[in-house]
Amino acid sequence: MAEPKYVAIANKYAADIRKGVIPPNVWLPSHAEIARENGVSEIVARQAVGQLRRWGLVTTVERRGTQVLAQRDDTRLSPERQTESPETTYETEATAGVEVVIDRQSAEIVADEALADTFSIDVGAALIHETVRASEDGRPISISDSYHLPGQSPPEAEILEEELSERVPPESHSEWLGVPAGEPILMVKQRYLTSADQLLMLSDVSYIPGRYRTFSFRMVLPRE
């Protein structure tokens, strides 16, 4: 699904806000200026500002405009926890007494052209596709789709690249999380690689709105 224009504009401002390029308490351009700078209508500009408000990055003050809010630490998890299982991660984060349920579905598939290109393998080669759904006390909190080479998994990888950004998720993710179709939410793209940058596993993870914030990093994974 193509990213709506207002989401692209909002992401551009969001990136600058989170990097500190646009510091707290600064007033953003007016809707008319945003529209003119991006070649869109004021309706689209208003939608972009509305998305920034939903992400908690700005506030709108009547008759004054849109002001950037101070941001909390963007770190989702400490780097050494990226290799934890969802069970360990969510049980660690959960409030006492909250029941965490992880549902896994795994199947062997054949790589289509896109996946073959991503993994640098032949079209029709075998891949493992795993879907993981997580909930707390019956409330869906995340869903992921992962692909990896047979016999390979994150413990065999040496490098992890992870990028978090607001994007329109696949329909299956929206349905599980109860998010309206086409509504951008926080998604994580993880790439597990060898030291030679051979891709071993690719994951797309979607979270309920407000669960985490955006950041990117690359780390060397510990080896036993």
Side-chain angles (χ1 to χ4, degrees):
M1 182 180 296
E3 183 178 63
K5 186 65 175 178
Y6 77 92
V7 176
I9 296 171
N11 270 324
K12 182 177 68 174
Y13 279 105
D16 285 345
I17 291 171
R18 292 187 175 106
K19 293 175 184 176
V21 176
I22 304 177
N25 302 319
V26 165
W27 296 90
L28 292 186
S30 67
H31 293 139
E33 290 171 323
I34 292 174
R36 185 169 56 254
E37 289 173 2
N38 292 277
V40 297
S41 68
E42 284 196 37
I43 293 176
V44 173
R46 289 179 183 275
Q47 289 176 318
V49 171
Q51 188 64 61
L52 291 172
R53 282 198 303 270
R54 288 190 290 275
W55 290 339
L57 299 176
V58 302
T59 185
T60 298
V61 181
E62 189 175 359
R63 291 192 296 274
R64 292 200 63 187
T66 302
Q67 189 175 37
V68 175
L69 296 174
Q71 300 304 301
R72 69 187 185 191
D73 187 354
D74 280 340
T75 302
R76 181 175 71 92
L77 296 172
S78 56
E80 63 272 15
R81 292 182 57 193
Q82 300 303 312
T83 56
E84 289 179 344
S85 68
E87 289 87 347
T88 299
T89 296
Y90 289 128
E91 286 171 4
T92 299
E93 295 180 352
T95 303
V98 172
E99 181 185 18
V100 176
V101 175
I102 306 295
D103 174 59
R104 297 174 180 273
Q105 295 179 335
S106 182
E108 183 173 302
I109 64 170
V110 295
D112 59 16
E113 187 172 347
L115 285 171
D117 183 62
T118 298
F119 281 88
S120 298
I121 57 178
D122 293 331
V123 174
L127 283 174
I128 303 301
H129 174 213
E130 183 175 45
T131 299
V132 178
R133 299 177 180 85
S135 61
E136 291 178 344
D137 281 347
R139 180 194 182 204
I141 56 174
S142 76
I143 178 173
S144 67
D145 281 298
S146 299
Y147 300 88
H148 65 82
L149 300 172
Q152 297 286 353
S153 59
E156 302 298 324
E158 296 172 283
I159 293 172
L160 167 62
E161 293 180 342
E162 182 169 286
E163 178 184 351
L164 286 77
S165 61
E166 284 87 358
R167 292 183 282 133
V168 175
E171 186 175 347
S172 60
H173 288 207
S174 296
E175 289 178 356
W176 169 250
L177 298 175
V179 176
E183 177 74 18
I185 59 175
L186 185 66
M187 293 192 66
V188 183
K189 182 174 290 293
Q190 294 177 322
R191 288 165 46 86
Y192 291 86
L193 309 108
T194 68
S195 58
D197 277 347
Q198 176 191 359
L199 180 64
L200 301 180
M201 180 173 176
L202 176 70
S203 296
D204 281 308
V205 192
S206 297
Y207 294 98
I208 54 172
R211 184 80 185 186
Y212 302 116
R213 289 186 179 270
T214 300
F215 75 107
S216 300
F217 74 92
R218 176 183 170 105
M219 65 173 286
V220 175
L221 296 170
R223 301 294 298 275
E224 293 185 0

